[in-house]
Each structure stands twice: as structure tokens, then as C-alpha cells.
Amino acid sequence: MRGYSPLTAALLLIPLPLVSAVVGPLSGLLADHIGARIPATVGVLVQAAALVWFVTWLSPTTAYWQIAVGLALMGLGGGLFWSPNTSAAMNSAPLRRLGIASATLATLRQTGMVTSFAVALAVAAGSLPHQV
């Protein structure tokens, strides 16, 4: 709609993975010191706040800074959630079952990702005009 090239559109999404990459390792260290419950809970709440931000501000004319704030919030929430969540799941498994626990966690993560893509594409396709 804005006429960005695929490369420009991809580069505009950088705040999410950048913030997540910085916060993720730090939240893992934090979880090692205080436990996984608080950082993971805060992470999910921050991601919910990012979704509210997008619902409130996102439109075809939204300024990029507003999109970047939402993406950064989503990256912050993801970074706060994933490391402690993985740590908690792996720490709850017996040592001789760590491989199974890791595989189960990876399978559930991939299943969630694929399902979310399918739902997002279905919503996007359903919002297109019938002639398209």
C-alpha cells in the first residue's frame, strides 16, 4: 500500500528482532537469579501491550515511529519471555530426558508458529476484496 520495496519493508521490521536479540540473553541471566516466573510473565504482558498498541494505532496511514514502537514492545516481550520459558521447561525435565524435553519444546514452538501463520494468512485473505 505504501509502495515499499520488499527489502525496505523487511528492514522496517528490524526493531522486533533487534530488541529481542538484546533482551533475550539478559532475561535469561535475570531468570537464573530470580527465577523464570516473573520475567516470563512480564514478557507476555508486554507482548499483550504491544498487541493493544497495534490495535489502537495501526492503519494504512500510521507513522513509522508508531509501528516501530509496537515492534520494539513485541521484541521486548518476546525477549523477556522465551529465555526464561525455555529455562523453566528444561530445568523441570530429568537429566536423562533433556533431549526429549528439548524436542518437545521445539515441536510445540514450531506448531504454534505454523498455526499462527495459517490464522494470520486466513485473516488477511478474508479481508481482501472478492475480486482479488
Side-chain angles (χ1 to χ4, degrees):
M1 179 153 220
R2 293 186 182 197
Y4 293 139
S5 71
L7 177 61
T8 301
L11 290 175
L12 292 174
L13 298 175
I14 292 258
L16 192 154
L18 183 66
V19 172
S20 185
V22 170
V23 172
L26 298 175
S27 71
L29 292 172
L30 180 65
D32 289 343
H33 291 290
I34 66 169
R37 183 172 296 175
I38 292 172
T41 302
V42 170
V44 169
L45 292 174
V46 170
Q47 283 189 320
L51 290 175
V52 169
W53 178 268
F54 282 130
V55 167
T56 304
W57 292 103
L58 196 59
S59 75
T61 59
T62 302
Y64 175 68
W65 74 266
Q66 292 170 313
I67 297 169
V69 167
L71 291 170
L73 280 173
M74 190 63 74
L76 176 64
L80 283 170
F81 176 77
W82 287 110
S83 293
N85 183 61
T86 300
S87 177
M90 295 305 290
N91 287 338
S92 68
L95 286 177
R96 67 182 198 285
R97 301 275 189 217
L98 286 178
I100 293 169
S102 177
T104 302
L105 189 60
T107 299
L108 292 173
R109 189 173 289 146
Q110 293 297 321
T111 302
M113 192 181 320
V114 168
T115 303
S116 69
F117 285 154
V119 169
L121 289 174
V123 168
S127 67
L128 291 174
H130 294 293
Q131 63 269 22
V132 174

